[in-house]
Amino acid sequence: SIVSCYVNLAPVYAKMRTLESSSYSLKLLLKADSISKKVEITRSRYLDLQNSLGELYSGEHNYDFSKSKFYRLRNLKLGYQFKDSFIIARACNNLADLYNKERKDSALYYINLGFKFENFSEARARLHDNLADYQVRKGKLLDALKSIHTSLEIMTKSEINTVPTDFQISESL
């Protein structure tokens, strides 16, 4: 369908990371969103479209907290509606990332909520990454280091021995 073409093409332009390409990507997604209101599309395609709009509005060229939040919350609501833990975990990760960008404590709420619904390693790793961003902002650097460490272990599927002990930290001060 034409909606699928637009949704698949938009990220290609977005990855160019120029003002012009981001604007064109947004134009494609908004056109797809408009068409999706008139023509039936699959649930999966609709969720991808909403996620892509949320992502584009959280990028540097089209940043709009309210619009990004709107699309990300819509996906969270749809995740609950469809009882889909993958969609819920992805929406929570995306909302946590958005709130971290705004330096808002709500990031922690969505991180904790995401941990309740994640059921695959990439989501768990991203939640730990978002948690580390939150912890850095709160000045909890050792906790942030542990969260990054956990994220790396999950993504590499191996044990990484890089977290310093309390003794090593006190010795370096």
Side-chain angles (χ1 to χ4, degrees), residues 128-142:
H128 280 286
D129 187 47
N130 276 317
L131 181 58
D133 288 345
Y134 176 82
Q135 291 164 328
V136 165
R137 191 164 46 83
K138 292 298 183 180
K140 297 179 178 181
L141 302 181
L142 184 56

Side-chain angles (χ1 to χ4, degrees), residues 43-68:
R43 173 177 30 173
S44 152
R45 183 56 60 201
Y46 184 72
L47 289 165
D48 286 345
L49 171 60
Q50 301 307 301
N51 191 59
S52 294
L53 281 163
E55 183 67 28
L56 209 53
Y57 280 122
S58 72
E60 69 177 301
H61 295 296
N62 297 305
Y63 189 79
D64 185 319
F65 174 79
S66 295
K67 288 181 181 177
S68 182

Side-chain angles (χ1 to χ4, degrees), residues 69-82:
K69 179 181 162 187
F70 171 80
Y71 289 108
R72 294 179 186 288
L73 285 172
R74 180 183 277 173
N75 261 11
L76 182 59
K77 181 180 175 183
L78 291 168
Y80 280 116
Q81 181 182 331
F82 301 134

